[in-house]
Amino acid sequence: MYLVADISVEICAAKSCKLCTQYCPEANTIQYSDEMGKDKGFKYGSAYVAVDRCKGCAQCVWVCDNMAKNNAIKMIMIDQLPKAALTDNITYGEKSTTAVLASPVVG
């Protein structure tokens, strides 16, 4: 077992800074979805982690805690995640990358 990043949708959607998506060293690991926060009544979307790509470096935690002052990301054991985002379909466009989530894995 190993640690992966877990993002609080409530905190992330309230701030919507997107810094973690820019500073994650592993490509396509932290994505942003406009719908994740809005379906819970927030104005903005939220970032999410593709746990099958996360290496557990915790750089996103440092960025969220120290640069953005949001404290929305915590490291958690992968087997203790309540819901996991798996990226089965990643499409690479000319100027964008879109990760289509598979059905959420409920633990």
Side-chain angles (χ1 to χ4, degrees):
M1 295 297 148
Y2 59 94
L3 293 169
V4 293
D6 184 39
I7 300 175
S8 168
V9 174
E10 290 79 17
I11 298 171
C12 184
K15 303 290 185 165
S16 188
C17 71
K18 303 179 188 175
L19 285 176
C20 59
T21 63
Q22 298 169 12
Y23 283 93
C24 179
E26 184 67 27
N28 301 318
T29 300
I30 302 179
Q31 298 286 320
Y32 187 82
S33 170
D34 288 327
E35 304 304 316
M36 283 187 75
K38 291 180 181 176
D39 64 357
K40 294 187 179 202
F42 292 99
K43 181 178 177 182
Y44 303 108
S46 175
Y48 64 91
V49 177
V51 296
D52 53 342
R53 298 189 56 82
C54 182
K55 305 296 185 237
C57 71
Q59 188 166 340
C60 58
V61 176
W62 189 91
V63 167
C64 189
D65 290 354
N66 297 302
M67 291 176 68
K69 308 288 188 211
N70 292 337
N71 301 313
I73 307 174
K74 305 290 178 222
M75 297 304 287
I76 188 167
M77 292 299 288
I78 192 167
D79 62 343
Q80 296 176 1
L81 281 173
K83 188 172 18 174
L86 299 176
T87 51
D88 283 346
N89 299 317
I90 298 178
T91 23
Y92 299 96
E94 189 173 317
K95 294 187 179 183
S96 68
T97 301
T98 305
V100 179
L101 295 180
S103 298
V105 177
V106 180

